[in-house]
Amino acid sequence: MKTLTMLMLGLGLTVSALGNAAGLAVVDLAKVVENSTYLKQQNASLTQSIKPTSTKLEQLNKEIESLQQRAQSANQGDLQKLSAQFQAKVNEFTTTQQGLQAKVQSSIQASNNVFETRLKQAAEQLRKENNVDFILNKNTVIASDAQYDLTDKMIQKINAMK
């Protein structure tokens, strides 16, 4: 009998706790990322900054192809010279390409870090403004009412940050 009473009391507390369940809201993070003016600006800036290096890589590639074609019809004396030029161009291409990759990775990481900070700040502001305890990623929620979707508000907040 005592066990049954304890079970009923525990069940009552559980139901009571569910009645005061935490306020929840959802945000479509993919849409937030897609509509982030900050990320769009960073992407455009990165594209512009790597353009000269990309152009240089294209030029080096053409020179390498040209050296390969010239080597096919070269005599033995010219072949050594062309081979040395070819190897130098390949080395320059590889070094330039690795530098470009490092620059791109570094830039993306820095942008992601700033964006993540902005995202967390905006989420905390929205959580407080909408009096909710949790904001979940909409893509991990099986079902939710549209009234709890704060995606557009999140996009506005993040895009307003400087």
Side-chain angles (χ1 to χ4, degrees):
M1 185 72 158
K2 192 174 190 178
T3 306
L4 183 58
T5 304
M6 293 300 281
L7 181 62
M8 295 298 282
L9 180 60
L11 184 58
L13 289 175
T14 302
V15 170
S16 173
L18 288 176
N20 295 326
L24 299 174
V26 295
V27 171
D28 185 342
L29 289 178
K31 187 176 177 182
V32 172
V33 168
E34 181 181 310
N35 290 288
S36 166
T37 55
Y38 170 76
L39 290 177
K40 288 176 183 175
Q41 289 168 348
Q42 292 301 305
N43 188 35
S45 176
L46 177 59
T47 300
Q48 281 301 106
S49 74
I50 66 170
K51 200 172 201 172
T53 308
S54 296
T55 302
K56 181 178 180 180
L57 285 171
E58 290 172 9
Q59 182 59 39
L60 286 169
N61 192 43
K62 288 177 184 176
E63 291 174 15
I64 289 169
E65 289 174 359
S66 173
L67 287 169
Q68 285 175 322
Q69 290 173 353
R70 287 175 43 203
Q72 290 175 354
S73 61
N75 61 37
Q76 192 64 23
D78 290 339
L79 196 56
Q80 269 189 331
K81 183 179 172 185
L82 288 172
S83 178
Q85 290 174 349
F86 175 83
Q87 191 58 48
K89 290 292 179 188
V90 167
N91 289 343
E92 183 180 359
F93 181 90
T94 302
T95 302
T96 303
Q97 186 179 41
Q98 288 172 347
L100 180 63
Q101 287 174 341
K103 179 179 181 176
V104 167
Q105 287 174 346
S106 174
S107 179
I108 289 171
Q109 184 64 42
S111 294
N112 286 346
N113 289 341
V114 169
F115 183 74
E116 182 179 352
T117 299
R118 290 179 178 192
L119 182 71
K120 287 178 181 178
Q121 289 172 347
E124 185 59 24
Q125 289 172 4
L126 281 173
R127 189 189 68 73
K128 289 177 181 176
E129 289 171 5
N130 291 277
N131 198 27
V132 294
D133 297 315
F134 299 97
I135 297 179
L136 305 174
N137 183 354
K138 186 176 183 177
N139 297 324
T140 60
V141 174
I142 295 173
S144 67
D145 191 322
Q147 73 180 6
Y148 301 113
D149 189 338
L150 302 177
T151 302
D152 292 335
K153 289 180 182 179
M154 175 76 82
I155 292 168
Q156 290 171 353
K157 282 208 175 289
I158 289 177
N159 287 345
M161 291 181 180
K162 299 294 176 202

